[in-house]
């Protein structure tokens, strides 16, 4: 009976260890993404103004660097909005952006 209880306790400990290690791995991945995201968002805010942009899609290129597709909307009275699209990406010495032609 004692051996059975020890076996059950061992299995429970193993399950808890696996679950905690999976959660830690998930938190590490989210932290890695947030580091690049915060820096690039601050560049976008400096360049286009705070709240004037909307991040459409975030991509990771073949080098593992984070890229964002950003659009700016321009509203005129009683007209449909006009959108300008930009590609914001990391370079060796900071960040850069380029306009996407439609």
């Amino acid at each position: 009976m004692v051996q059975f209880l020890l076996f059950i306790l061992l299995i429970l400990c193993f399950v808890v260890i696996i679950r905690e290690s999976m959660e830690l791995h998930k938190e590490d991945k989210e932290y890695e993404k947030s580091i690049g995201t915060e820096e690039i968002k601050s560049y976008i805010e400096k360049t286009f103004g705070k709240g004037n942009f909307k991040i459409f899609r975030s991509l990771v290129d073949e080098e593992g660097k984070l890229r964002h597709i950003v659009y700016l909307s321009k509203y005129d009275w009683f007209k449909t909005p006009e959108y300008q699209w930009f590609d914001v990406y990391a370079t060796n010495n900071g960040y850069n952006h380029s306009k996407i032609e439609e």
Side-chain angles (χ1 to χ4, degrees), residues 26-37:
K26 182 180 177 182
E27 289 175 4
D28 287 343
K29 289 294 182 181
E30 289 175 0
Y31 177 73
E32 288 176 4
K33 287 182 180 180
S34 71
I35 290 174
T37 304

Side-chain angles (χ1 to χ4, degrees), residues 47-97:
T47 305
F48 301 116
K50 188 170 187 168
N52 294 338
F53 65 92
K54 179 73 176 168
I55 296 177
F56 179 70
R57 181 172 289 163
S58 299
L59 307 168
V60 178
D61 62 1
E62 61 273 354
E63 297 174 359
K65 295 181 180 176
L66 193 61
R67 299 176 75 100
H68 292 296
I69 306 297
V70 175
Y71 70 88
L72 301 172
S73 56
K74 180 181 173 187
Y75 293 98
D76 290 328
W77 285 95
F78 300 111
K79 292 184 180 179
T80 58
E82 296 177 9
Y83 296 101
Q84 294 178 341
W85 293 86
F86 293 92
D87 182 20
V88 181
Y89 52 93
T91 60
N92 291 335
N93 50 352
Y95 297 97
N96 203 353
H97 66 278

